[in-house]
Amino acid sequence: MSIIIRPHFYVFILLIVLVQPLYAQKEGYSGYYLIKREYENRANNDSSALPLIEKYIAKAKGEKNYPRLVEGYLDAIQYSPHPNAKLKYADSAILAANLTKNDSILSRAYLHKGIVYYFNFKKYKLALAEYMVAYEYSKKTNDQYHKNRLAYLIGVVKSYIGHYDEALVLFKQTKTFFEAESRKNINRNLIYGSIRGYYNSLHQMAVCYRYLGIPKSADSLTNIGLSLTTGNKDFSQEYGYFLKEKGIRQYYEKDYQNSIKSLNGSLISIASADDFAWATVCYSYIGKSYQELGDHNKSKLYFQKVDSVFQKHNFILPELRNNYEQLIAEYRKENNPQKELYYTTQLIKADSIIGQDFAYLSSKIHREYDLRDLREEKMRLEQNSTVSAWVNRTLGIIAGILVIAFVIKYRAEKRVREKYRIVEQKILNGDLVPSRDESVKKSDIEKEIVDDLLDKLDDFENNLGFLESGITLNKLALKFDTNHTYLSQIINEYKGNNFKRYLVELRIAYITKRLYQEEKLLSYKIETLAEECGIASRSNFSDLFQEINGIRPKDFIRKRWEDIAREKKAFEV
């Protein structure tokens, strides 16, 4: 039986193979099927499919067919080339899934959002949070296949952030399940996906055992994987992963020539799948092998390949930071201060990334240089590049001030970035606007009056009535045909604030959302933004924006510009 494999896959192909459409069976020649067959065979991230998918989505919306609507949004994730667009479609899929009230569909929707965080943003903890929500919904279903692919996804993220023991438990579970499934007389695609699930679980178990320092277990699983995939063109990528582990083991056994051979062989399939994370691991161990063989020119070449990936993707695994230490040492021996300074700077950047994305691992990695030593070394190199003594002293003072300023700025920037991400998540989750709190009946006002006023307040929010200039509690009460006492009491009790604060939060939420969604607003002056949301003065607007969002408007705008620039650059690449 011949199995056709598409030429391009995401990192860890199992994640794509296992994440199947909501409906795997042929749908017949329904209207949905006729639309879907026009785009379903196009390559991932092919934006030409989007007009057809929008047609599919529009049909589902018009018919209020929410399961189909979810499927349309999930297809949009697959074919959208832009990471932020993928995230928005993922949010839409979750909203539509909630309307189905189907636990299986909800689980799949959250799973897809996690995949977007993992593959497109490298946000491991955010991905894990979505997978865990998906897993909770999956508990209410009997779909063991779906539960195990979720367990695998959760295990991969846990492994990446350093929780190898926890990840290993999950991979053992998925290995057992997929191995049993692959032997059943079931749908051909499910058998194929189960075999991949089994092989990828073996690979991830071997990785965990290697990191945990249990080489015999890692070797045993690697040998099993190689025996099952060698010469099998349908599983060439899985063969590449097992060959990678063999090459790493050969390095630790000091069999450097064969290590280089194995790792170069594994790169054929790993690099072709654009799996830059594992490719950098291969580059690193090839470089180390050449270094042990005394070929320092080739070792530097492969260490520099790791740096090239870091420059392109702003991503590095913790175990690769020592590549920079080796490059720094090599160029120090060669008396090349420019190169030594460059790679010292790169190591500082790498530590910053590792500190953000791999906090658990970074605390466990032995470092030849701590951050203070690196900065002192950078200062020394900069000083040595000057000629006169008085220039050296001056630069030393300036460098010291810059280091202090850098630390202060870095910490401040980190706080700003964290606040921005919190606001961004609120925007994406629709949590900016004050929500109605009906959990406890607090007032003695008749229920009919309360419900009527709450509905009118909803209309007031939805129709942007809060933007009206000069709106007051009395004026709003008059519009609602009620007295201001009732209205004030209901706003206080159900909106959690007095009228003035309620109005301010609506206005700030409105302008914050627009700033995030409409690029043109990012060029507006602060005074103009204040006018746009009905706030009288620039200073008052800035203070309220920071008080409510935790970040000043100028910083929010700056971070948004950075996101947009990064997204455009990624799209061009």
Side-chain angles (χ1 to χ4, degrees):
M1 178 174 65
S2 175
I3 300 174
I4 298 174
I5 307 177
R6 293 185 179 183
H8 300 290
F9 291 86
Y10 278 113
V11 178
F12 302 109
I13 192 165
L14 173 70
L15 305 185
I16 296 303
V17 173
L18 292 184
V19 180
Q20 302 190 16
L22 296 176
Y23 300 97
Q25 303 301 319
K26 187 174 180 180
E27 302 171 349
Y29 293 100
S30 67
Y32 294 102
Y33 172 76
L34 292 173
I35 299 172
K36 192 179 185 72
R37 72 177 182 178
E38 294 295 320
Y39 65 81
E40 63 181 349
N41 290 323
R42 301 187 189 192
N44 290 329
N45 301 321
D46 185 347
S47 61
S48 68
L50 292 178
L52 291 165
I53 295 172
E54 290 297 341
K55 184 178 178 182
Y56 190 104
I57 290 171
K59 178 177 172 63
K61 283 183 177 179
E63 296 175 1
K64 295 186 178 180
N65 190 331
Y66 300 122
R68 299 288 187 189
L69 184 58
V70 174
E71 186 175 359
Y73 285 130
L74 297 186
D75 284 348
I77 295 171
Q78 180 180 350
Y79 292 103
S80 295
H82 202 285
N84 265 9
K86 288 178 183 287
L87 190 59
K88 288 178 182 178
Y89 281 124
D91 286 325
S92 297
I94 290 173
L95 290 173
N98 276 293
L99 295 174
T100 70
K101 302 187 185 303
N102 182 299
D103 293 324
S104 180
I105 294 175
L106 277 161
S107 183
R108 284 169 171 79
Y110 278 102
L111 178 146
H112 276 74
K113 186 175 180 181
I115 289 173
V116 173
Y117 274 136
Y118 180 83
F119 284 115
N120 300 104
F121 291 93
K122 295 296 182 185
K123 300 294 184 184
Y124 300 100
K125 292 187 178 180
L126 288 177
L128 184 59
E130 299 300 328
Y131 292 154
M132 294 306 294
V133 175
Y135 186 69
E136 287 302 313
Y137 277 113
S138 75
K139 288 180 180 179
K140 304 172 187 176
T141 74
N142 295 318
D143 190 344
Q144 295 303 315
Y145 189 91
H146 177 64
K147 289 180 180 179
N148 277 273
R149 71 191 184 197
L150 262 171
Y152 176 87
L153 291 164
I154 293 169
V156 169
V157 178
K158 282 181 174 287
S159 176
Y160 259 70
I161 61 175
H163 299 283
Y164 304 117
D165 288 312
E166 296 175 22
L168 193 56
V169 172
L170 294 172
F171 294 137
K172 286 179 179 179
Q173 169 195 318
T174 59
K175 167 190 167 292
T176 301
F177 174 81
F178 288 123
E179 183 179 17
E181 287 293 295
S182 68
R183 295 171 179 167
K184 292 182 179 179
N185 184 21
I186 54 177
N187 177 277
R188 174 187 174 189
N189 289 332
L190 289 178
I191 292 175
Y192 184 55
S194 295
I195 294 172
R196 282 192 177 278
Y198 170 60
Y199 290 163
N200 280 276
S201 296
L202 283 179
H203 167 241
Q204 291 293 345
M205 286 176 65
V207 171
C208 288
Y209 279 128
R210 172 163 61 85
Y211 283 128
L212 289 169
I214 310 175
K216 288 186 178 180
S217 296
D219 291 346
S220 175
L221 293 171
T222 298
N223 291 333
I224 292 171
L226 286 170
S227 69
L228 293 170
T229 58
T230 299
N232 190 333
K233 64 180 181 180
D234 291 335
F235 299 101
S236 60
Q237 186 170 343
E238 285 69 25
Y239 169 75
Y241 288 133
F242 290 121
L243 192 59
K244 162 187 63 72
E245 289 301 309
K246 180 181 179 180
I248 293 172
R249 183 61 183 154
Q250 288 169 328
Y251 167 79
Y252 285 113
E253 291 175 342
K254 300 183 179 181
D255 186 2
Y256 303 120
Q257 292 286 5
N258 282 322
S259 175
I260 292 168
K261 182 179 178 181
S262 296
L263 291 167
N264 274 320
S266 71
L267 274 170
I268 295 171
S269 58
I270 291 175
S272 67
D274 197 26
D275 189 345
F276 62 82
W278 281 124
T280 57
V281 173
C282 293
Y283 295 148
S284 175
Y285 279 97
I286 292 172
K288 289 178 182 179
S289 294
Y290 277 122
Q291 189 174 52
E292 294 295 335
L293 292 170
D295 193 335
H296 296 290
N297 287 329
K298 284 187 177 178
S299 70
K300 284 191 295 184
L301 176 65
Y302 279 93
F303 291 154
Q304 286 164 351
K305 284 178 179 284
V306 175
D307 181 57
S308 295
V309 174
F310 178 45
Q311 290 182 59
K312 181 177 180 180
H313 296 283
N314 202 34
F315 173 84
I316 188 169
L317 293 166
E319 66 180 298
L320 305 184
R321 74 177 301 281
N322 68 339
N323 286 198
Y324 286 109
E325 295 172 352
Q326 297 297 330
L327 286 168
I328 291 167
E330 286 293 329
Y331 284 113
R332 183 179 297 138
K333 288 179 185 177
E334 295 177 10
N335 194 26
N336 189 333
Q338 288 78 19
K339 289 286 188 180
E340 186 183 350
L341 175 58
Y342 169 77
Y343 287 112
T344 300
T345 303
Q346 288 298 92
L347 180 52
I348 292 173
K349 291 179 182 178
D351 277 343
S352 175
I353 297 295
I354 292 169
Q356 294 172 41
D357 293 338
F358 297 92
Y360 179 83
L361 280 177
S362 63
S363 65
K364 294 181 176 295
I365 294 176
H366 172 72
R367 297 182 179 183
E368 183 178 335
Y369 301 92
D370 63 18
L371 189 57
R372 182 187 61 191
D373 293 335
L374 284 171
R375 287 175 179 150
E376 289 176 355
E377 183 68 9
K378 183 178 180 181
M379 289 167 59
R380 181 188 68 78
L381 290 166
E382 291 171 338
Q383 290 169 353
N384 288 343
S385 66
T386 63
V387 179
S388 68
W390 71 269
V391 172
N392 284 342
R393 287 193 295 271
T394 303
L395 287 177
I397 295 170
I398 293 173
I401 294 171
L402 287 175
V403 168
I404 295 171
F406 172 81
V407 173
I408 294 171
K409 184 178 179 180
Y410 172 79
R411 291 176 179 174
E413 186 64 15
K414 183 179 179 182
R415 287 193 295 270
V416 168
R417 182 170 57 251
E418 289 171 350
K419 294 291 186 182
Y420 172 81
R421 292 302 176 201
I422 291 171
V423 176
E424 180 184 51
Q425 198 59 44
K426 286 182 178 179
I427 293 171
L428 295 174
N429 293 337
D431 293 338
L432 277 179
V433 178
S435 59
R436 179 192 296 190
D437 181 8
E438 298 180 297
S439 58
V440 180
K441 184 178 184 299
K442 304 175 183 178
S443 73
D444 54 359
I445 303 174
E446 292 179 12
K447 186 178 183 303
E448 292 77 12
I449 296 175
V450 172
D451 290 343
D452 177 65
L453 289 178
L454 287 174
D455 288 340
K456 288 177 177 178
L457 284 171
D458 285 347
D459 289 339
F460 174 72
E461 295 173 10
N462 295 332
N463 296 326
L464 309 182
F466 51 86
L467 296 179
E468 180 181 336
S469 177
I471 189 72
T472 65
L473 179 65
N474 288 334
K475 288 180 179 179
L476 191 59
L478 189 61
K479 285 187 178 183
F480 286 1
D481 196 23
T482 186
N483 64 69
H484 72 276
T485 302
Y486 277 5
L487 183 57
S488 176
Q489 185 175 345
I490 287 171
I491 290 173
N492 272 274
E493 293 179 354
Y494 288 88
K495 299 295 182 178
N497 284 307
N498 60 38
F499 174 77
K500 184 177 179 181
R501 181 66 178 186
Y502 166 65
L503 198 63
V504 163
E505 289 191 357
L506 287 174
R507 289 172 171 174
I508 294 298
Y510 165 79
I511 199 65
T512 303
K513 186 175 181 181
R514 285 194 63 193
L515 279 169
Y516 185 84
Q517 295 176 340
E518 300 176 34
E519 185 175 329
K520 67 178 182 178
L521 262 70
L522 299 175
S523 301
Y524 286 11
K525 293 181 178 180
I526 297 299
E527 294 90 340
T528 307
L529 293 174
E531 291 173 4
E532 284 283 321
C533 67
I535 294 177
S537 71
R538 170 197 173 103
S539 61
N540 195 28
F541 170 80
S542 295
D543 291 343
L544 290 170
F545 192 101
Q546 183 178 33
E547 180 182 344
I548 292 169
N549 289 327
I551 181 174
R552 298 200 74 80
K554 65 174 185 175
D555 290 327
F556 183 90
I557 291 168
R558 177 169 55 84
K559 300 307 293 182
R560 186 61 188 140
W561 274 126
E562 290 175 5
D563 273 3
I564 290 170
R566 185 161 47 248
E567 291 159 9
K568 288 180 178 177
K569 184 177 180 181
F571 179 79
E572 291 170 359
V573 172

